[in-house]
């Protein structure tokens, strides 16, 4: 169940994510090919403002995008409507945001600052 | 009985949602005082039934470029062989100009344009100017879809799949009280009182073996008017379209129109041995007018005595199959869907009953002899006389539907109360409609086939007194058999077989009138051709037939044509006007 | 599913929906694993070596593949919606995306 | 229910019969009933259904009017696919001598094969599908260049016969009862491109609400099944494009 605002939000977040996900995949390929360990990866990302912004925006945007996507599926497949649907959308969005933020902090916060 | 009929009230009731019904609803809404309740009742779904939707060729209207209302009028009078009611024909031609602007500007139709952006007008047989406005060959869809949207988006009460079965007058018979209907979806009866009722159920000569109109049209309106004692005029005038598709008796595709343009573009008619024959009948060959080509095909069919070989053939392939496919895309696809190759092969065709010129006698404002009842569209007689020009049908229904709406909107101001029905007539109509429900169930369709056969053989394209008398006997025997055929009464909800029975009842009643009117006209004019009276008769002495039910009998009389605008042999075109504006083909 | 709907555009829709749903279900898992970097880095390493196992690799490949499918599917959709393309251009574009997905898929298969 | 045979038929000549399953019931429920119908030349699905009502079971309900693909009243599910039955030749859909016929999907059933089309038309109106005049019957008809790119876009969808086949084909309609559906949205797109229409912004609003064009997943079944080869999917994409533009325009 989408109106123009939700639709635009989903399309705009998708557009932002497209380069971010491709970038992320590229990094992972590089990392895997280089045989990097967890410490090595974290050594590069932790404390880096660049990676903080990179993954930060990803988390923000993906939470929005996926929440709207799941909302549509929930409505069409289970018939969820009204308040329940709004609640579901916010719920999934905030959950993803919370877990994503936790991961973001773990990965990009300067080591030992916590 | 009375307990079985739901009662319902409205101010303006409209029967039918063709061009006439929908226009009436819109105009009534504009003309009636604030707060007037308008109800539209229809046998099918709003805008999706009736023939206006099926209009292919287009809409006649004089829009300048040399063409004038006068010229359109003269073509209509001459095409109708001087039988039209001239005041009605004039109003038709004159108002078509306004109606086409209304359709484009207010209703939202978009008709085909010339490269310079003006409306494209094409040539249609029997006319002296290129005046037919169209939307490809799907003109009716554009007109009805747009009208339907307008009506659907307005606060009009909608009674869909409601079949009108009887016009119920007041006790003293001076006015109409309302209409008895069946809510087809539930099978319940509903009597709707209204101050004014427009009957726009669109005639439809579907009592012929081959016919073009939509399946919902079965002359219900004219049968109701007949029973209500109203005079009906020109009832012998059934227009046949020369090229109906022949796909077998069991197929509903049979009888549907293969468009006129095929012949116009050079399509040839061939008999079973592959010979062209139309030049034996007319110097214009395949391009002669509808009635002439219909008779040519019919005569040729009679010559052939092979029972398996009924129709003639239309052949287009000599024009190049690719070319035909491009130019007549819709027609080619339609034939292909039912298994025929129009572009490259032969398609079997027969003349097919297309339009009913006859109808209720009305004045130019659509009023009838019964106060409160108005009639417009194909149900009304007079505008076309003995022959309707291609393109004048939809012009007629939209023009007079609008006029009916305006008239009702005005008349209703002086009608302060609803009228009470004559309960006896109501009970009689109820009994009539429920008659089969107390008889042993049997098949209805074989009776329909028999009627269609009888009308085709004896009251069809070419007629004789002997044939029509035989026809009358056959019709009456079928009518009697119909009274013995019952319909199972357990479940009346959406019971199509019950409605088939009611359709048959209407068709039998009107078939009798057609045959009787046919006998009363002892000459040949337009669509009515008497082999025993092949001459047209003196134009000055033209008469029209009027049929009326009197004490249970249908009586037909003749009335003189009132040449109120122009006399035979004269014209209202200015001196020196060319005979035709159409470039010679 | 009914054959009634088995045409390319409908399949593309199903693919997009399935991939989107799978990604949405996987993402929280992914976040959860990453958050160990903070609380227990050794668990993360454990996980990474666990991820060396072929079965897990295939699963990972599947996810990346789904992501690729979803991303390109999404881009295709937005292109279809927003760029005024004619019908033949649309089929061309759809074909190009299909090939791109195929190529990138095999590429991923090699590296993983 | 027991199969009904064709003994009473007058048309039974060739002896070859079709095995036809027809859905019987109301909105309360129902099921398929089998009939044996004589196979004949040039037979359409509408002819098959009519034959059953005429000769085998007088209580069968269905709907048709024009018989030639103009009125859009006869659409049904034929072997699971939405089709206009008056123009569907039996040969095209027969599978091993059998065919299954049901009421149109995504609409309430009235009885047997007749669906209630009101929701379809209500949405047509909700989508802003009625022309709003910019001139009156007293004004001249405005000239419009038929080749103008915008007019061509409007003309593309004009031949819709509102048969609801696209509506029945669309899974989004099935899952989302508010969704206006392909035909109504296509009509809105046509009007949006109609220079004579006076309410362009209203259309954008009408198609941007909860049931609007943004719910379409471009699954394309509408375009695949439209019997008139129309392309509602692209029309809807057009609406998405224009509403997206207006999203930014109106923010400013
Ligand atoms: C195939 C075909 C092609 C044609 N092509 C052209 C053309 O190119 N140009 C032209 O000018 N004319 C053409 N005509 C003629 C034209 O369609 C008609 O003259 C005109 O449309 C009639 O309009 P109407 O409103 O009177 O009736 P219709 O449009 O036929 O409407 C009648 C309405 O009444 C309803 N009705 C019937 N019985 C009942 C009942 N008992 N209770 C309630 N409602 C009822 C019907 O369901 C329908 O809604 C064509 C006709 C056909 C069949
Ligand atoms: C990175 C680029 C991405 C792009 C370009 C993209 C694009 C899109 C688009 C256009 C839609 C709308 C589909 C429709 O309406 O039919 C969509 C739906 C969806 N997306 Fe994404 N997406 C991306 C990433 C993601 C990610 C990472 C996730 C998961 C977390 C995700 C989850 C979803 C879901 C669940 C849907 C709903 C599917 C549906 O409605 O059928 N997307 N995506
Ligand atoms: S778009 Fe096609 S399928 Fe849909 S209602 Fe119109 S004609 Fe029917
Ligand atoms: S099938 Fe339905 S989802 Fe959109 S493209 Fe057509 S409306
Ligand atoms: S009966 Fe009119 S479209 Fe089939």
């Amino acid at each position: 169940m989408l109106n123009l605002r939700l639709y635009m939000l989903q399309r705009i977040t998708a557009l932002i994510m497209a380069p971010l996900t491709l970038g992320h995949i590229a990094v992972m390929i590089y990392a895997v090919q280089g045989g990097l360990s967890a410490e090595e990866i974290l050594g590069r990302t932790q404390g880096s403002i660049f990676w903080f912004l990179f993954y930060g925006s990803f988390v923000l945007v993906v939470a929005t995008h996926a929440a709207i996507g799941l909302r549509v599926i929930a409505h069409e497949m289970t018939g969820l409507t009204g308040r329940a649907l709004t609640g579901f959308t916010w719920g999934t969005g905030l959950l993803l945001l919370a877990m994503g933020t936790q991961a973001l902090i773990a990965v990009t916060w300067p080591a030992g600052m916590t | 009985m009375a307990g079985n009929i739901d009662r319902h009230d409205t101010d303006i009731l409209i029967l039918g949602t063709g061009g006439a019904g929908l226009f009436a609803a819109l105009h009534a809404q504009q003309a009636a005082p604030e707060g007037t309740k308008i109800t539209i009742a229809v046998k099918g779904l709003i805008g999706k039934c009736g023939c206006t939707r099926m209009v292919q060729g287009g809409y006649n209207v004089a829009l300048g470029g040399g063409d004038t209302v006068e010229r359109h009028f003269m073509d209509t009078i001459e095409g109708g062989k001087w039988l039209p009611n001239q005041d009605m024909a004039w109003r038709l031609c004159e108002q078509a100009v306004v109606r086409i602007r209304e359709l484009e500007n207010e209703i939202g139709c978009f008709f085909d344009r010339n490269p310079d952006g003006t409306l494209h007008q094409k040539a249609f047989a029997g006319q002296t100017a290129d005046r037919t406005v169209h939307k490809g060959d799907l003109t009716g869809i554009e007109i009805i879809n747009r009208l339907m949207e307008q009506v659907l988006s307005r606060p009009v009460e909608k009674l869909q799949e409601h079949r009108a079965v009887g016009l119920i007058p007041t006790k003293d018979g001076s006015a109409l009280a309302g209409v008895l209907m069946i809510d087809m979806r539930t099978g319940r009866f509903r009597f709707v009182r209204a101050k004014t009722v427009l009957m726009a159920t669109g005639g439809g000569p579907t009592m012929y073996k081959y016919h073009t109109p939509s399946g919902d049209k079965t002359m219900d309106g004219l049968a109701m008017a007949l029973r209500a004692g109203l005079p009906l005029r020109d009832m012998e005038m059934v227009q046949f379209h020369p090229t109906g598709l022949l796909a077998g008796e069991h197929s509903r595709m049979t009888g549907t129109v293969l468009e006129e343009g095929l012949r116009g573009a050079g399509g040839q008619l061939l008999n079973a041995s592959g010979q062209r024959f139309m030049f034996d009948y007319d110097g214009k060959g395949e391009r002669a007018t509808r009635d002439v080509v219909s008779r040519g095909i019919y005569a040729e069919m009679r010559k052939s005595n092979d029972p398996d070989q009924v129709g003639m053939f239309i052949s287009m392939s000599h024009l190049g199959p690719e070319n035909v496919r491009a130019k007549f895309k819709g027609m080619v696809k339609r034939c292909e869907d039912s298994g025929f190759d129009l572009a490259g092969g032969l398609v079997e065709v027969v003349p097919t009953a297309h339009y009913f010129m006859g109808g209720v006698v009305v004045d130019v404002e659509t009023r009838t002899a019964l106060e409160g009842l108005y009639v417009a569209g194909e149900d009304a007689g007079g505008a076309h006389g003995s022959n309707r020009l291609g393109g004048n049908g939809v012009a007629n229904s939209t023009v007079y539907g609008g006029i009916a709406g305006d008239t009702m909107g005005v008349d209703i101001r002086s009608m302060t109360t609803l009228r009470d029905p004559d309960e006896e007539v109501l009970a009689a109509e109820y009994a009539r409609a429920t008659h089969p429900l107390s008889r042993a169930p049997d098949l209805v369709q074989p009776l329909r086939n028999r009627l269609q056969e009888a009308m085709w053989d004896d009251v069809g394209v070419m007629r004789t007194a002997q044939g029509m008398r035989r026809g009358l006997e056959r019709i009456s025997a079928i009518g009697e058999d119909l009274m013995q055929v019952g319909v199972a009464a357990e479940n009346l909800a959406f019971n199509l077989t019950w409605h088939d029975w009611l359709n048959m009842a209407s068709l039998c009643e009107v078939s009798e009138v057609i045959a009787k009117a046919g006998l009363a006209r002892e000459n040949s004019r337009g669509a009515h051709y008497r082999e025993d009276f092949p001459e047209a008769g003196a134009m000055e002495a033209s008469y029209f037939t009027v049929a009326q039910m009197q004490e249970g009998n249908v009586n037909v009389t003749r009335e003189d044509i009132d040449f109120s605008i122009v006399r035979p042999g004269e014209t209202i075109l200015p001196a020196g006007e060319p005979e035709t504006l159409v470039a010679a083909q | 599913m009914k054959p009634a709907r088995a045409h390319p555009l409908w399949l593309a829709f199903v693919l997009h929906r399935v991939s989107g749903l799978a990604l949405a279900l996987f993402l929280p898992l992914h976040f959860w694993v990453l958050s160990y970097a903070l609380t227990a880095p050794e668990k993360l390493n454990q996980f990474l070596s666990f991820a060396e196992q072929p079965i897990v690799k295939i699963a990972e490949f599947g996810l990346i593949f789904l992501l690729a499918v979803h991303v390109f599917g999404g881009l295709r959709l937005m292109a279809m919606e927003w760029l005024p393309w004619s019908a033949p251009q649309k089929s061309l574009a759809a074909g190009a995306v299909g090939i791109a997905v195929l190529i990138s898929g095999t590429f991923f298969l090699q590296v993983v | 229910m027991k199969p009904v045979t064709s003994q009473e038929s007058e048309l039974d000549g060739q002896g070859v019969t079709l095995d036809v399953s027809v859905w019987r019931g109301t909105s309360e429920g129902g099921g398929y009933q089998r009939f044996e119908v004589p196979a004949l030349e040039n037979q359409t699905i509408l002819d098959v259904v009519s034959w059953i009502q005429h000769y085998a079971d007088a209580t069968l309900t269905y709907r048709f009017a024009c018989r030639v693909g103009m009125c859009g009243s006869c659409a049904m599910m034929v072997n699971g696919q939405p089709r206009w039955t008056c123009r569907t030749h039996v040969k095209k859909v027969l599978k091993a001598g059998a065919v299954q016929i049901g009421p149109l999907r995504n609409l309430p059933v009235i009885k047997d094969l007749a669906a209630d089309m009101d929701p379809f038309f209500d949405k047509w109106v909700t989508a802003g599908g009625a022309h709003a005049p910019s001139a009156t019957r007293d004004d001249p008809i405005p000239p419009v260049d038929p080749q103008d790119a915008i007019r061509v876009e409007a003309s593309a969808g004009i031949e819709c016969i509102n048969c609801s086949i696209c509506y029945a084909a669309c899974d989004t309609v099935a899952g989302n009862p508010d969704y206006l559906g392909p035909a109504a949205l296509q009509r809105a797109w046509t009007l949006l491109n109609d220079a004579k229409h006076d309410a362009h912004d209203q259309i954008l609003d009408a198609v941007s609400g909860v049931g609007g064009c943004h719910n379409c997943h471009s699954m394309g079944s509408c375009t695949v099944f439209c019997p008139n080869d129309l392309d509602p999917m692209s029309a809807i994409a057009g609406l998405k494009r224009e509403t997206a533009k207006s999203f930014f325009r109106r923010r400013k």
Side-chain angles (χ1 to χ4, degrees), chain A residues 10-11 14 17 21 65 69, chain C residues 16-17 20 23-24 70-71 77, chain D residues 217:
Chain A
Q10 191 177 42
R11 297 308 190 256
M17 263 191 299
T21 42
H65 178 89
Chain C
H16 195 72
R17 170 156 291 187
L23 287 172
H70 190 82
V71 172
L77 208 67
Chain D
H217 300 291

Side-chain angles (χ1 to χ4, degrees), chain D residues 46 64-74 84-87 161:
Chain D
L46 179 63
F64 79 100
C66 72
R67 317 176 273 147
V68 285
M70 293 183 98
C71 71
S73 331
C74 66
W84 52 7
T85 56
C86 67
R87 297 252 320 246
I161 58 169

Side-chain angles (χ1 to χ4, degrees), chain B residues 207 445-457 474 477-479 481-482 504:
Chain B
M207 66 285 277
Q445 186 61 23
L447 287 177
R448 176 86 181 249
N449 295 343
R450 262 172 68 197
L451 179 68
Q452 295 187 163
E453 203 76 49
M455 290 300 284
W456 172 252
D457 292 343
R474 289 168 80 178
I478 294 163
D481 290 351
L482 182 68
M504 266 301 286

Side-chain angles (χ1 to χ4, degrees), chain D residues 183-198:
Chain D
L185 290 170
Q186 174 175 257
R187 176 66 190 137
W189 175 241
T190 301
L191 275 176
L192 192 65
N193 288 292
D194 186 339
K196 297 193 298 171
H197 187 69
D198 197 36

